[in-house]
């Protein structure tokens, strides 16, 4: 069979995504640090990847040498604004240095302004006895977030025009207020929706503020988009459960941005100022859930989500390798927002031994290429992640890096996927030779005779 190659449009962004708390280390003034001290995570973040100690330099060198031309990172609100009436100019200067560091290495920065963490003073504000709620439960957080965004964008605008207001607002709300895995560990579905509505208000305020400061900015957010498949498509109950979960997980923010009314299975929230507030859609895609009706699970609204038995599972069972789901996600995005640019802001798999990652990477990039060939406007791909980092409540049990990390010694370990991804970035595409070299087990599937 002749060699095949799947190329991407000129100027396509290829990079990795990271988040402040997961890589910086010694982030002691936010809700996640508190959560770690309370023993709610498998491990503590500690030094993480020691980016705050300066190791971002060597990691950006690695990324640049591996052909990456972009990087998505987040800034930590609690460092920039350690108290309501205090700005830390030195912290802003460090972020400026990081962004300069990316430019010096020929990489385009994408900056997220909120990636799961809140300063302790935000986490603790409000007085639940008066019904005002804490953190994002309380609408009073919206102008505070806007103020932080204004200050940060003013300081960083010289080096960045591509902004992500909030990372995975749906995961923030559902994990913090429904499953209870994230702080504050509540299980209250109505509250989860109120938090989501406030995040949408925060996003809208940030969108407008950024454009006021920097008219040429491109502003979006990162949606964790999770396709859901009914266990038995012929079963009306499975389909019903699938639809409820699908809209509950995925559609709150998108409906709010389309119409100004955030639709959820638990009711609608009017957020008129959110209408039209995105210049691109950020898609974080990892996997697809199978959903079945299950009478034994009243707390999960009588449904069960799982991966099929035959799934190509990651070592901790966290992710099933279902590359077609990325194609479906992009198709959904461009149907929902015709012509709106799409960035894959996260995609990856936890795999310390790098057995699954090469095929996961190649197969997902293949599906993204299929989407690009429908002229759907996918403009870039950010792999999660560059180096193993602190995976929230799962601590260090999951290794998502192209490079491995020993958090004790800070030693980086090059995994074979580094070279596969480098070849893809340099080629601006994927070739059959790469698949043959790095993941021959899927060669036949990807290039049938
Ligand atoms: C996403 C998060 C990111 C990382 C990956 C594995 O939900 O945005 O911080 O934890 O999952």
């Amino acid at each position: 069979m002749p060699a095949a190659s799947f190329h991407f449009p000129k100027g396509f962004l290829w990079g990795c995504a990271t988040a402040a708390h997961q890589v910086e280390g010694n982030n002691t003034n936010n809700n996640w640090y508190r959560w770690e001290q309370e023993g709610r995570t498998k491990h503590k973040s500690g030094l993480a990847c020691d980016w705050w100690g300066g190791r971002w330099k060597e990691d950006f060198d690695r990324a640049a040498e591996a052909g990456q031309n972009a990087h998505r990172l987040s800034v930590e609100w609690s460092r920039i604004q350690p108290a309501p009436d205090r700005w830390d100019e030195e912290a802003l200067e460090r972020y400026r240095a990081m962004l300069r560091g990316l430019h010096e290495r020929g990489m385009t920065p994408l900056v997220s302004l909120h990636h799961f963490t809140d300063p302790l003073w935000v986490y603790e504000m409000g007085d639940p006895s008066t019904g005002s709620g804490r953190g994002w439960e309380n609408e009073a957080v919206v102008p505070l977030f806007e103020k932080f965004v204004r200050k940060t964008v003013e300081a960083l605008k010289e080096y960045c025009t591509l902004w992500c207001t909030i990372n995975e607002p749906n995961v923030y709300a559902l994990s913090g207020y429904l499953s209870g895995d994230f702080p504050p560990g509540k299980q209250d579905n109505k509250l989860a929706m109120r938090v989501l509505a406030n995040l949408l208000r925060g996003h809208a305020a940030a969108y407008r503020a950024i454009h006021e400061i920097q008219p040429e900015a491109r502003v979006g957010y990162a949606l964790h988009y999770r396709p859901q498949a009914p266990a038995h498509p012929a079963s009306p109950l499975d389909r019903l459960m699938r639809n409820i979960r699908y809209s509950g997980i995925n559609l709150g923010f998108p409906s709010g941005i389309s119409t100004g009314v955030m639709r959820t299975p638990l009711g609608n929230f009017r957020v008129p100022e959110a209408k039209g507030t995105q210049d691109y859609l950020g898609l974080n895609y990892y996997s697809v859930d199978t959903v079945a009706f299950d009478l034994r699970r009243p707390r999960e609204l009588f449904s069960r989500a799982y991966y099929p038995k035959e799934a190509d599972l990651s070592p901790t069972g966290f992710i099933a390798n279902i590359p077609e789901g990325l194609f479906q996600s992009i198709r959904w995005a461009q149907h929902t927002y015709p012509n709106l640019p799409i960035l894959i802001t996260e995609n990856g798999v936890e795999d310390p031994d790098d057995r699954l990652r090469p095929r996961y990477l190649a197969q997902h990039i293949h599906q993204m290429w299929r989407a690009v060939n429908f002229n759907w406007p996918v403009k870039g791909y950010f792999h999660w992640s560059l180096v193993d980092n602190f995976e929230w409540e799962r601590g260090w049990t999951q290794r998502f890096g192209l490079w491995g990390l020993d958090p004790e010694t800070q030693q980086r370990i090059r995994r074979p996927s580094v070279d596969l991804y480098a070849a893809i970035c340099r080629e601006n595409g994927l070739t059959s030779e790469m698949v043959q070299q790095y993941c021959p087990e899927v060669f036949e599937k990807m290039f049938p005779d």
Side-chain angles (χ1 to χ4, degrees):
M1 164 159 187
S5 58
F6 303 138
H7 281 105
F8 285 82
K10 204 163 159 251
F12 200 82
L13 297 178
W14 293 104
C16 287
T18 55
H21 190 74
Q22 295 178 271
V23 293
E24 287 179 354
N26 282 333
N27 243 321
T28 57
N29 193 22
N30 67 27
N31 55 341
W32 270 91
Y33 185 77
R34 167 78 54 86
W35 201 237
E36 293 166 33
Q37 303 313 305
E38 289 170 357
R40 304 295 293 263
T41 56
K42 287 244 166 75
H43 307 102
K44 296 195 166 94
S45 52
L47 264 190
C49 310
D50 195 25
W51 277 23
W52 206 248
R55 285 186 205 263
W56 59 265
K57 296 192 190 89
E58 50 169 291
D59 286 339
F60 287 0
D61 283 344
R62 289 186 174 90
E65 280 158 21
Q68 300 176 28
N69 63 14
H71 186 79
R72 172 178 177 229
L73 55 77
S74 81
V75 293
E76 173 62 35
W77 185 358
S78 66
R79 287 199 192 272
I80 293 172
Q81 192 177 11
D85 54 355
R86 204 150 61 78
W87 300 106
D88 185 337
E89 299 294 337
E90 203 267 333
L92 281 167
E93 202 37 65
R94 285 214 210 178
Y95 286 121
R96 284 167 58 83
M98 282 187 203
L99 298 185
R100 245 190 334 265
L102 286 174
H103 284 287
E104 284 161 8
R105 291 164 177 80
M107 295 162 79
T108 302
L110 162 52
V111 173
S112 306
L113 293 152
H114 187 280
H115 194 126
F116 291 167
T117 53
D118 293 307
L120 276 177
W121 63 267
V122 168
Y123 187 55
E124 287 172 343
M125 70 175 221
D127 178 359
S129 68
T130 62
S132 71
R134 296 207 184 280
W136 287 92
E137 296 166 29
N138 189 333
E139 202 175 324
V141 77
V142 173
L144 300 173
F145 181 61
E146 179 183 337
K147 205 165 154 201
F148 153 71
V149 167
R150 282 184 187 277
K151 175 78 180 175
T152 304
V153 171
E154 275 295 350
L156 306 185
K157 67 178 182 202
E158 192 181 341
Y159 303 112
C160 180
T161 54
L162 190 52
W163 304 94
C164 166
T165 56
I166 299 179
N167 177 70
E168 298 191 345
N170 50 345
V171 171
Y172 179 99
L174 296 175
S175 303
Y177 297 87
L178 195 61
S179 71
D181 295 329
F182 280 18
K186 296 190 179 172
Q187 297 185 327
D188 177 340
N189 47 28
K190 287 229 172 70
L191 194 54
M193 294 302 118
R194 186 158 96 200
V195 166
L196 193 64
N198 285 335
L199 288 164
L200 183 58
R201 295 183 177 104
H203 158 81
Y207 178 89
R208 291 178 205 290
I210 299 170
H211 273 288
E212 252 177 55
I213 296 168
Q214 192 185 51
E216 72 277 23
R218 286 158 301 157
V219 186
Y221 71 103
L223 173 68
H224 185 106
Y225 185 79
R226 190 99 185 163
Q228 307 283 311
H232 305 96
S235 151
L237 280 175
D238 284 0
R239 285 206 310 273
L240 177 69
M241 292 304 135
R242 178 265 168 207
N243 291 345
I244 294 172
R245 277 185 65 97
Y246 176 79
S247 65
I249 293 173
N250 295 306
L251 300 185
F253 251 58
S255 59
I257 290 178
S258 294
T259 65
V261 178
M262 188 183 97
R263 290 179 202 287
T264 81
L266 297 170
N268 298 338
F269 295 75
R270 276 178 45 75
V271 187
E273 70 274 25
K275 193 171 170 186
T277 52
Q278 70 185 355
D279 307 320
Y280 71 90
L281 178 66
L283 274 182
N284 292 1
Y285 170 78
Y286 287 91
S287 199
V288 178
D289 291 324
T290 298
V291 183
F293 173 71
D294 191 337
L295 259 183
R296 290 162 306 185
R297 292 176 185 248
R299 274 211 30 247
E300 285 153 70
L301 301 171
F302 301 105
S303 73
R304 184 166 76 90
Y306 61 95
Y307 293 134
K309 267 208 238 37
E310 66 283 5
D312 185 16
L313 278 191
S314 64
T316 66
F318 193 61
I319 288 167
N321 175 27
I322 308 178
E324 301 75 22
L326 177 58
F327 180 83
Q328 283 171 30
S329 306
I330 298 170
R331 187 177 52 198
W332 165 81
Q334 73 81 42
H335 273 309
T336 311
Y337 305 108
N339 301 322
L340 187 75
I342 298 166
L343 289 172
I344 307 307
T345 33
E346 284 180 31
N347 171 245
V349 68
E350 97 286 4
D351 184 16
D353 300 326
D354 214 41
R355 291 205 186 104
L356 166 58
R357 188 177 290 101
R359 69 173 173 272
Y360 184 97
L361 191 52
Q363 290 181 290
H364 282 77
I365 285 171
H366 178 221
Q367 291 295 327
M368 183 167 70
W369 173 83
R370 282 186 59 215
V372 163
N373 279 280
F374 284 85
N375 289 332
W376 299 341
V378 185
K379 304 293 184 192
Y381 174 88
F382 295 85
H383 189 73
W384 187 274
S385 183
L386 184 58
V387 183
D388 287 347
N389 55 55
F390 177 71
E391 271 302 327
W392 309 114
E393 82 283 9
R394 289 151 274 130
W396 295 97
T397 60
Q398 294 185 338
R399 303 306 182 112
F400 274 91
L402 293 174
W403 272 269
L405 172 79
D406 177 342
E408 298 298 318
T409 62
Q410 285 298 317
Q411 208 192 338
R412 272 73 172 154
I413 306 131
R414 193 184 184 97
R415 295 188 172 121
S417 289
V418 169
D419 299 309
L420 168 58
Y421 193 46
I424 292 168
C425 298
R426 292 208 184 93
E427 179 72 30
N428 194 26
L430 175 75
T431 67
S432 49
E433 283 88 349
M434 295 175 198
V435 174
Q436 188 69 69
Q437 183 176 350
Y438 292 96
C439 42
E441 70 278 14
V442 288
F443 189 86
E444 287 296 319
K445 196 168 174 189
M446 289 177 71
F447 306 98
D449 250 340

